[in-house]
Amino acid sequence: MSQPYRPDSLSEDRPSTPPSTDPTLLSLQVPSSPTTKSLGGDTLRSRASSFNSTAETARSRANSDVRTIRSRFEGDELTPEEALCPDQTNEKDFEVHDNPFAFSPGQLNKTLNPKSLAVYKALGGLRGLERGLKTDTVAGLSVDETTISEKISFEEAIDLTEQKKASQSRPVIRQEDIVSGHEVPGQYHDRKRVYNDNRLPVKESLSIWRLFWNAYNDRILQILTAAAVVSLALGIYEAVGQQRAPDEPQSLDWVEGLAIEVAVVIVVLVTGLNDYRREKQFVTLNAKKDDRQVKAIRSGKSLMISVFDVMVGDVLHLESGDSVPADGVLISGHGIRCDESSATGESDAMKKVGGDEVWNRIVEGTATSKLDPFIISGSKVLEGVGTYLVTSVGVNSSFGKIMVSLQTKNENTPLQVKLARMANWIGYLGTTAAGFLFFILLVRFLVGLSASTATAAAKGSQFLDIFIVAITIIVVAVPEGLPVAVTLALSFATKRMYKENNLVRKLRACETMGNATTICSDKTGTLTQNKMTVVAGMLGTGSIITRGGAATEKVAEHFSTVFSRVSPAVRSLLLQSAAINSTAFEGEENGAATFIGSKTETAILTLAREQLGMGPVAEERAGVEIVQLIPFDSDRKCMGVVIRLASGNYRLLVKGAAELLLAKATRELIDATEENLHVHDLTEYSRSHASQTIEDFASQSLRTIAMLYKDFPAWPPAEARRIEGDHSLAVFEDVFQDMTFLAVLGIQDPLRDGVSQAVKKCQDAGVMVRMVTGDNITTASAIATQCGIKTPDGLVMEGPKFRQLFNADMDALLPQLQVLARSSPDDKRILVARLKHLGETVAVTGDGTNDGPALKTADVGFSMGIAGTEVAKEASAIILMDDNFSSIVNAIMWGRSVNDAVAKFLQFQITVNITAVVLAFVSAVSSPDMHSVLSAVQLLWVNLIMDTFAALALATDAPSEKILNRPPVPKRAALITTNMWKMILGQAVYQLAVTFTLYFAGAKILHYDLDANNGLLRTELNTIVFNTFVWMQIFNEFNNRRLDNKFNIFEGVLKNYFFIGINAIMIGGQIMIIFVGGKAFQIKRINGHQWAICILCALPCLIWAMVLRSVPDKYAAVLFSFVGRTWLAVFRPLMSALATVFSPVGKAYRAFSRHIIQPTKRFSKRATRKVLRKKATEEEKEQIASDEERAIQLKKVETSPTEPPQTPPSAGFPTQSQLSPPPITLTTA
């Protein structure tokens, strides 16, 4: 078992320069032959190798003002033994059995708990980590690694002699030895055993037994169970404990109590199984939601791997917009700044420094606490590119520990909250009716006691019957199935949406999307295919060139003709602009070699490879020293890079939006065929020609990209300001002027198939589609017209003009605004905010890091699953896995389907509620023996139909495209529409009329003598009433499949197997109950003639629904308004009177609760806790200790990394909203 190493000291003789980058030793960076098929593995490494520039201008700062100051970082005075000393709470993390690596998880965690350069120094810096973790900072892990046969000790990992050897003879991986694209059995076995994988422990889902208990953990069901047990006991006592006359039949009153218990068990089992199914669905969707692809280097190749497969020792790429998947140390990079607020609470962007540079500063004694090579999991890369070495993953990572400790229950969606509130109100009304019924029957029972000759047991049984009926009415009246119906509909919809390329991260987005009124869509990749190709261009301001065919109306030369004539100097300049000024790299996708990165950049690299003879990107970048990198910025619409030339001069290369860059150019490349670069002042004619060419390209729906350059004798230029914190870098705006115009390229990105039809569907559905793009106004307008977004009377604006408008002016033009061109992410956010201010329900798409605010501001944010950054995905509610606008249309359909499913179930349930409660109430009050026509067991069966079966049947209707042929529902629309009230009240009236007719006049109609046959005919008549009532609910379920006034209620029913199956179960169950229910259901088997009566009485509810649908909604609204006003006029005084009467009772109850009930509850809880505390096992004590340990660690994470540990943190502990990614928020019932 490995123990923490306690070295005596670390020598100051550590090499002060990074390992050798001899090209003969790094075959992956500089392939031995230009004809090699190497993919250039660590492409960022090769360009990053020059980030630690040896230029005098870049090194002067380090040699000036800090060399004389030593030991400026906290902990520098600590010995390695003290720095790596384990805390008492996490000693187990330092002990690993049979560890083949030099470091334990605990030792690696010390670097970030909190950030500590002292620990970094004790671990031997980047080279010590590289050797101790048996990895390679250039080639990454080997894909063929399984177990580690040769162990390495702590001493060997940090041994200086061994490190010098490693720096002089780095491992060389030959191209023929690289293995990828196949499964390796037992891959990274030892790494997983020692350091775990990058998965967080899944929040344990509730067991099926727990779900059964939750289903039963309803106070009303428990009261009903207790009453049924007492009824069963009394029934058994009557049957076996009392003498009966010789001719008196055996008492079977105990059967009802047993039947109620069985019915409760069935309700609990069905509800629990239903919840279990939903739990499993959500667990599956959550797993898919958390998975994503990251860029790693393995065996020298850049590959896309699952975030779950990231291992300690992996080398991962970093670029702007990434969400860091694991802790680590920066190997090399340029301009990397990270937002660590989600992990540390530190709001400032943290600048990162390469691990080797930090080590050099430590050795020189010039290191300060501001040096930060540490990459923290959960943080966001705001800008820059680079690579880093993974040191902690999964539960061992800093963010993993926080996420594990903050796992919480999912929140309900707004619709669930609304329906739960409505369910409570309906439940209150039902409970009031049940209480009123119980009061009336109790008075009748008490009045009749004096004249009753029944035994005490019979009287007790009679009272229990009254109580059970009242409780059962409450069970039926409380519509607990309403929130469940939402969950069922959302569960079904999210699963189907995933199959249609919509990954729902937040359930509320699913229901909100159904009511969207406007969509602000990106162009690239959403409306277009994001398969870009350079099809036209212009060198300097000369002739136009094309790939094939005419891109414009002008005569153009072919690419191959023009590029074959360019001089070596111009070819080199073009290659630098394409390959060096780019963040794309070579890699593999689906086993095929390709360029990975921005599609615009990959199109330019493809042109360079095909027409300029560009070799592997890594080879083009390997011999170039990059001094400064300017990442792409969506505000300035360009990116740049500064390189050092062989002559000692410096060259700034810039590419970006053509019309914006043309304004920065004052010179142009004249003749591309001359040996030297021949430039001349850009004349007005040439500027006008270039501007017209850009306009021509844009009118052909081409994206226009310009390339500029400028040479400098020194860097940074004397006249330019310096970047604060790094005086070796110049402020870009100060040098981005007087540029030389090199070329303009026209890039074609075809429209996606079917996007015009999808836009038309949205418009037919009342959803306005707006294009928000960074392209120029001509290109944007042309593509918007092709898509059908731009209409003749539509308005097109540019972002800079839009953002300068006053709010009132902005609100006035928004209804006509269809295209916003040259927009920045802030323009998009402003647009979304103003649309919401006008009452719109806004959906917006975004793929960049800066799109996060707009995605958060929108009602529903869609991020791109392919082209989107991790920041954008975490800010969004739904991920478009295919980046296709047509998938948004599917989201609208499913969102409306969810809202429709809830409305259908609500309409069905309220109808059954009204009918069942009124029928049971009236029949019980009017009955001489105070028995309801619907017994307790029958009501439980009806409740099962309402709350579970109907929810399953009505929540699983898949949407058709006809669902788009109606406008969206306003935000503040009522849950129950006029048409729904019309159907609810109309069906309730019909059902009550039929059941009351059968109950009160059925004996006359059927010629029954109810006084004869010892009550058998009454039981038979009650059976007919019950059977008719259930069949009316079955037929009415078909009525509720439509929410409009159309007649075809069977449309698409054969496609919904759930609906067919559930109705088959309901019909089969009802038939079985009638035939074999007997005493348990208090029914009598009926014959065919009576079955015909039941069906013929129930079937007309289908015809009656057609009659109701024929009544215009406006007439129904007038009637309901009159009835409502009349009801309020009567009801309000009555409620005021009741409030006055019962106010003293309420006050007395509250006082009793405050002084008696609540203190009793608190005492019982304290007593229970004391008993449980005494019975705690050793395992529970260990768990408590583990929780305390986690709390201590979280406090350390909270501490600002730039402050001493004893200083209170400058920022509070991060809230759950700050911790991204948020859960799919897939709610479980």
Side-chain angles (χ1 to χ4, degrees):
M1 181 175 295
S2 67
Q3 299 292 336
Y5 177 64
R6 311 286 196 247
D8 295 330
S9 65
L10 283 177
S11 172
E12 291 288 336
D13 296 330
R14 184 63 62 92
S16 61
T17 58
S20 171
T21 55
D22 187 346
T24 62
L25 299 176
L26 297 178
S27 63
L28 287 173
Q29 289 182 272
V30 185
S32 57
S33 170
T35 60
T36 178
K37 296 181 180 179
S38 171
L39 294 178
D42 190 6
T43 56
L44 282 180
R45 173 66 183 177
S46 59
R47 71 183 293 190
S49 299
S50 62
F51 289 167
N52 297 322
S53 174
T54 58
E56 293 180 4
T57 54
R59 297 290 299 167
S60 60
R61 184 176 62 89
N63 294 330
S64 58
D65 57 338
V66 294
R67 178 176 292 280
T68 59
I69 302 174
R70 304 181 63 83
S71 302
R72 298 211 313 177
F73 65 88
E74 183 184 347
D76 187 34
E77 71 283 355
L78 296 178
T79 65
E81 181 179 8
E82 293 171 333
L84 294 174
C85 180
D87 300 326
Q88 293 182 355
T89 56
N90 64 351
E91 287 186 350
K92 63 180 183 300
D93 292 339
F94 287 73
E95 300 176 357
V96 180
H97 176 70
D98 191 25
N99 187 359
F101 304 100
F103 311 120
S104 65
Q107 290 172 324
L108 295 175
N109 286 340
K110 290 284 285 185
T111 59
L112 293 172
N113 195 18
K115 296 178 183 178
S116 173
L117 290 179
V119 175
Y120 180 68
K121 175 181 176 182
L123 294 175
L126 181 61
R127 300 307 153 196
L129 290 169
E130 177 186 33
R131 185 171 174 80
L133 295 177
K134 288 194 170 281
T135 185
D136 188 288
T137 55
V138 174
L141 297 177
S142 170
V143 296
D144 290 327
E145 178 189 315
T146 53
T147 58
I148 305 296
S149 57
E150 183 180 350
K151 297 182 179 181
I152 183 171
S153 66
F154 189 101
E155 297 88 342
E156 292 172 330
I158 67 171
D159 184 74
L160 301 181
T161 304
E162 295 294 336
Q163 287 208 27
K164 289 177 181 177
K165 291 181 181 178
S167 67
Q168 295 169 0
S169 58
R170 301 182 60 77
V172 176
I173 303 177
R174 297 178 178 84
Q175 180 65 30
E176 57 268 23
D177 295 335
I178 296 177
V179 182
S180 64
H182 70 281
E183 294 292 333
V184 178
Q187 190 179 41
Y188 306 125
H189 174 269
D190 278 342
R191 289 188 189 274
K192 292 179 182 178
R193 178 178 61 83
V194 175
Y195 299 115
N196 295 320
D197 56 16
N198 201 29
R199 285 178 170 85
L200 296 180
V202 179
K203 184 180 178 182
E204 187 176 354
S205 59
L206 297 177
S207 68
I208 191 169
W209 305 110
R210 179 67 182 177
L211 291 172
F212 285 151
W213 170 249
N214 288 347
Y216 180 68
N217 198 17
D218 179 274
R219 186 170 299 178
I220 303 300
L221 274 182
Q222 292 171 351
I223 293 173
L224 183 61
T225 303
V229 169
V230 175
S231 175
L232 177 63
L234 287 175
I236 294 175
Y237 175 73
E238 286 186 59
V240 300
Q242 288 189 326
Q243 297 291 332
R244 66 178 189 275
D247 57 341
E248 184 180 355
Q250 178 75 37
S251 174
L252 296 177
D253 289 346
W254 59 272
V255 174
E256 182 179 12
L258 179 62
I260 292 174
E261 299 291 359
V262 172
V264 169
V265 170
I266 292 175
V267 169
V268 169
L269 287 176
V270 172
T271 305
L273 290 172
N274 195 19
D275 291 343
Y276 182 73
R277 171 180 164 273
R278 293 201 311 275
E279 283 274 349
K280 290 300 181 184
Q281 283 188 350
F282 286 137
V283 167
T284 302
L285 287 173
N286 275 328
K288 293 174 181 176
K289 179 264 301 182
D290 292 333
D291 193 11
R292 57 187 171 94
Q293 297 289 302
V294 295
K295 302 170 186 175
I297 301 173
R298 288 184 176 175
S299 292
K301 288 188 176 183
S302 293
L303 304 172
M304 302 298 291
I305 64 172
S306 169
V307 69
F308 297 143
D309 295 333
V310 173
M311 295 287 133
V312 169
D314 259 322
V315 176
L316 300 184
H317 286 283
L318 288 175
E319 60 183 65
S320 177
D322 282 350
S323 178
V324 179
D327 293 339
V329 174
L330 183 66
I331 298 173
S332 59
H334 193 84
I336 292 185
R337 294 181 181 271
C338 295
D339 174 11
E340 298 178 350
S341 59
S342 62
T344 66
E346 178 62 51
S347 58
D348 295 334
M350 307 300 294
K351 179 185 177 183
K352 301 300 175 180
V353 184
D356 281 326
E357 182 177 345
V358 172
W359 178 258
N360 294 340
R361 297 281 295 275
I362 291 175
V363 172
E364 293 170 0
T366 61
T368 69
S369 295
K370 291 184 178 180
L371 290 177
D372 186 2
F374 305 112
I375 305 297
I376 299 181
S377 55
S379 61
K380 315 295 186 304
V381 182
L382 299 179
E383 57 185 58
V385 293
T387 56
Y388 81 104
L389 175 67
V390 175
T391 58
S392 295
V393 295
V395 292
N396 293 322
S397 67
S398 54
F399 192 64
K401 293 177 180 178
I402 295 175
M403 291 303 294
V404 169
S405 66
L406 293 180
Q407 287 182 340
T408 58
K409 293 183 178 180
N410 297 322
E411 297 180 356
N412 287 334
T413 69
L415 188 56
Q416 285 175 316
V417 173
K418 285 183 182 179
L419 288 176
R421 193 179 298 121
M422 174 175 283
N424 289 337
W425 277 104
I426 296 174
Y428 294 152
L429 293 175
T431 303
T432 302
F436 192 45
L437 173 64
F438 179 74
F439 176 75
I440 293 174
L441 297 184
L442 180 62
V443 170
R444 288 181 56 185
F445 170 75
L446 294 176
V447 170
L449 275 180
S450 58
S452 176
T453 59
T455 62
K459 293 177 181 177
S461 179
Q462 188 179 9
F463 170 78
L464 277 177
D465 288 343
I466 296 173
F467 181 72
I468 287 174
V469 168
I471 294 297
T472 308
I473 287 178
I474 296 177
V475 172
V476 174
V478 175
E480 65 269 16
L482 283 180
V484 175
V486 187
T487 309
L488 275 172
L490 289 171
S491 170
F492 180 73
T494 50
K495 185 177 180 180
R496 293 292 296 272
M497 287 174 69
Y498 178 78
K499 295 180 180 179
E500 297 180 5
N501 298 312
N502 283 275
L503 177 55
V504 180
R505 300 183 70 252
K506 300 177 183 178
L507 276 186
R508 65 175 60 223
C510 185
E511 62 190 43
T512 305
M513 194 58 207
N515 301 325
T517 58
T518 185
I519 300 173
C520 299
S521 174
D522 285 338
K523 176 187 73 70
T524 304
T526 308
L527 299 171
T528 61
Q529 297 179 18
N530 204 18
K531 295 179 180 178
M532 298 194 184
T533 307
V534 180
V535 296
M538 181 177 66
L539 285 180
T541 58
S543 61
I544 297 171
I545 56 178
T546 65
R547 175 176 295 273
T552 67
E553 296 177 357
K554 301 178 182 180
V555 178
E557 293 184 86
H558 195 274
F559 277 162
S560 58
T561 304
V562 175
F563 285 124
S564 64
R565 297 198 304 258
V566 299
S567 66
V570 175
R571 185 182 300 272
S572 175
L573 179 57
L574 290 171
L575 284 175
Q576 289 171 355
S577 296
I580 309 304
N581 188 18
S582 174
T583 57
F585 57 92
E586 288 172 311
E588 282 189 359
E589 284 185 354
N590 302 321
T594 185
F595 292 116
I596 298 175
S598 163
K599 297 301 182 182
T600 302
E601 295 189 42
T602 59
I604 297 174
L605 287 177
T606 302
L607 173 72
R609 183 175 60 188
E610 293 176 352
Q611 304 296 337
L612 297 174
M614 183 186 72
V617 175
E619 183 177 328
E620 298 290 339
R621 295 171 177 171
V624 178
E625 181 184 342
I626 296 176
V627 178
Q628 182 172 346
L629 186 145
I630 301 95
F632 178 81
D633 185 271
S634 56
D635 290 325
R636 56 178 175 244
K637 305 295 183 186
C638 65
M639 62 186 297
V641 66
V642 180
I643 61 175
R644 189 178 187 183
L645 303 176
S647 62
N649 291 336
Y650 296 85
R651 176 168 290 167
L652 169 63
L653 302 165
V654 181
K655 69 180 178 186
E659 73 276 12
L660 299 182
L661 265 62
L662 179 60
K664 297 291 184 178
T666 58
R667 299 170 68 83
E668 64 171 317
L669 182 68
I670 294 297
D671 190 350
T673 61
E674 290 193 8
E675 183 176 352
N676 297 321
L677 299 178
H678 187 199
V679 298
H680 193 275
D681 290 342
L682 186 62
T683 64
E684 285 302 319
Y685 172 79
S686 297
R687 186 182 297 275
S688 175
H689 172 66
S691 179
Q692 184 59 49
T693 300
I694 293 171
E695 186 77 12
D696 290 342
F697 285 173
S699 64
Q700 300 293 323
S701 302
L702 301 183
R703 168 174 286 190
T704 54
I705 301 295
M707 293 179 175
L708 309 181
Y709 80 97
K710 184 179 181 180
D711 290 340
F712 296 86
W715 194 266
E719 66 276 9
R721 291 173 296 171
R722 308 300 195 263
I723 291 180
E724 183 179 355
D726 193 342
H727 294 287
S728 66
L729 306 179
V731 174
F732 178 67
E733 286 72 16
D734 289 357
V735 296
F736 186 39
Q737 52 191 345
D738 298 328
M739 305 291 291
T740 300
F741 190 82
L742 174 60
V744 62
L745 302 176
I747 301 177
Q748 185 181 63
D749 186 13
L751 285 181
R752 285 186 179 273
D753 295 335
V755 71
S756 300
Q757 294 86 337
V759 170
K760 183 67 167 57
K761 289 177 182 177
C762 288
Q763 293 168 343
D764 291 342
V767 181
M768 183 174 182
V769 182
R770 294 176 170 89
M771 178 193 290
V772 184
T773 178
D775 277 345
N776 68 45
I777 194 167
T778 306
T779 303
S781 182
I783 294 180
T785 302
Q786 292 180 36
C787 295
I789 295 175
K790 172 73 170 62
T791 59
D793 58 344
L795 182 63
V796 180
M797 284 194 70
E798 289 186 321
K801 295 180 180 178
F802 175 78
R803 72 178 76 113
Q804 293 174 2
L805 296 174
F806 292 105
N807 287 342
D809 298 331
M810 203 177 288
D811 295 345
L813 63 84
L814 279 179
Q816 287 78 40
L817 181 64
Q818 294 175 342
V819 180
L820 188 62
R822 281 289 175 239
S823 65
S824 69
D826 198 49
D827 296 332
K828 184 187 290 187
R829 181 192 61 79
I830 294 171
L831 173 63
V832 172
R834 296 313 303 172
L835 287 171
K836 290 185 66 177
H837 175 74
L838 295 177
E840 302 272 6
T841 301
V842 186
V844 66
T845 68
D847 56 6
T849 301
N850 292 336
D851 286 328
L855 291 169
K856 285 285 189 182
T857 304
D859 294 289
V860 181
F862 286 89
S863 63
M864 304 297 107
I866 299 173
T869 63
E870 293 306 319
V871 174
K873 292 176 184 177
E874 291 170 10
S876 66
I878 300 177
I879 298 175
L880 295 178
M881 295 187 294
D882 60 351
D883 292 7
N884 195 340
F885 184 84
S886 299
S887 297
I888 300 179
V889 179
N890 294 333
I892 295 175
M893 292 171 60
W894 279 106
R896 293 189 176 189
S897 175
V898 168
N899 294 325
D900 284 0
V902 173
K904 292 172 186 176
F905 180 74
L906 185 62
Q907 182 173 300
F908 175 79
Q909 177 139 42
I910 294 179
T911 303
V912 183
N913 271 9
I914 293 174
T915 310
V917 171
V918 172
L919 178 60
F921 184 95
V922 172
S923 61
V925 170
S926 61
S927 171
D929 55 2
M930 295 181 290
H931 283 169
S932 166
V933 67
L934 301 177
S935 68
V937 182
Q938 292 172 3
L939 286 172
L940 287 175
W941 167 242
V942 172
N943 185 67
L944 187 64
I945 291 175
M946 284 195 314
D947 286 340
T948 303
F949 290 154
L952 279 169
L954 295 174
T956 53
D957 263 334
S960 66
E961 291 193 357
K962 292 182 179 180
I963 204 171
L964 297 174
N965 297 333
R966 67 171 195 244
V969 178
K971 287 182 178 180
R972 300 187 180 277
L975 282 176
I976 306 179
T977 64
T978 299
N979 184 61
M980 291 173 63
W981 277 121
K982 179 178 67 176
M983 298 301 295
I984 290 169
L985 297 178
Q987 285 292 334
V989 167
Y990 173 80
Q991 293 181 15
L992 287 173
V994 171
T995 51
F996 282 156
T997 299
L998 289 174
Y999 181 73
F1000 291 108
K1004 293 182 179 180
I1005 296 173
L1006 300 176
H1007 306 292
Y1008 285 176
D1009 184 2
L1010 298 182
D1011 297 328
N1013 297 325
N1014 199 21
L1016 289 179
L1017 289 179
R1018 166 51 68 184
T1019 303
E1020 190 173 284
L1021 183 59
N1022 288 350
T1023 302
I1024 293 174
V1025 175
F1026 165 65
N1027 196 32
T1028 303
F1029 174 79
V1030 171
W1031 277 98
M1032 282 192 291
Q1033 311 316 317
I1034 294 174
F1035 291 135
N1036 192 40
E1037 191 179 10
F1038 283 87
N1039 286 329
N1040 288 297
R1041 293 189 70 247
R1042 290 205 81 105
L1043 292 172
D1044 52 22
N1045 286 323
K1046 295 182 180 178
F1047 295 155
N1048 187 7
I1049 60 176
F1050 300 103
E1051 182 179 352
V1053 70
L1054 297 179
K1055 297 179 181 178
N1056 189 347
Y1057 300 114
F1058 261 106
F1059 187 88
I1060 296 173
I1062 292 299
N1063 276 276
I1065 293 174
M1066 290 165 56
I1067 292 171
Q1070 180 63 19
I1071 293 173
M1072 185 177 66
I1073 288 171
I1074 297 300
F1075 278 93
V1076 300
K1079 186 63 178 177
F1081 280 82
Q1082 298 183 14
I1083 60 176
K1084 181 179 179 297
R1085 181 181 296 188
I1086 57 179
N1087 56 35
H1089 176 258
Q1090 294 162 334
W1091 265 103
I1093 293 174
C1094 297
I1095 299 299
L1096 291 176
C1097 287
L1099 193 60
C1101 74
L1102 299 177
I1103 302 173
W1104 178 243
M1106 297 173 65
V1107 174
L1108 293 174
R1109 287 190 168 98
S1110 300
V1111 177
D1113 289 347
K1114 61 180 180 180
Y1115 297 146
V1118 172
L1119 176 62
F1120 294 151
S1121 176
F1122 172 76
V1123 173
R1125 287 195 298 267
T1126 304
W1127 168 260
L1128 290 176
V1130 176
F1131 185 72
R1132 280 176 177 171
L1134 179 62
M1135 289 301 297
S1136 299
L1138 291 175
T1140 303
V1141 172
F1142 289 101
S1143 179
V1145 177
K1147 291 180 180 179
Y1149 176 77
R1150 287 192 293 271
F1152 178 77
S1153 174
R1154 185 169 57 253
H1155 297 294
I1156 304 297
I1157 298 178
Q1158 293 180 4
T1160 304
K1161 285 184 177 180
R1162 288 195 294 268
F1163 173 77
S1164 63
K1165 288 181 179 179
R1166 285 196 298 267
T1168 303
R1169 282 198 298 267
K1170 288 181 180 179
V1171 172
L1172 293 177
R1173 192 178 298 117
K1174 291 180 181 179
K1175 295 182 179 180
T1177 63
E1178 290 299 320
E1179 292 183 359
E1180 291 170 336
K1181 293 179 180 178
E1182 291 180 3
Q1183 181 63 38
I1184 293 172
S1186 175
D1187 293 341
E1188 293 173 351
E1189 170 194 342
R1190 184 181 295 112
I1192 293 173
Q1193 292 173 344
L1194 288 175
K1195 288 180 181 178
K1196 292 183 178 181
V1197 171
E1198 181 185 9
T1199 304
S1200 174
T1202 60
E1203 297 176 348
Q1206 67 271 17
T1207 305
S1210 60
F1213 189 82
T1215 64
Q1216 185 182 3
S1217 63
Q1218 292 174 304
L1219 293 173
S1220 301
I1224 197 173
T1225 315
L1226 290 176
T1227 310
T1228 54

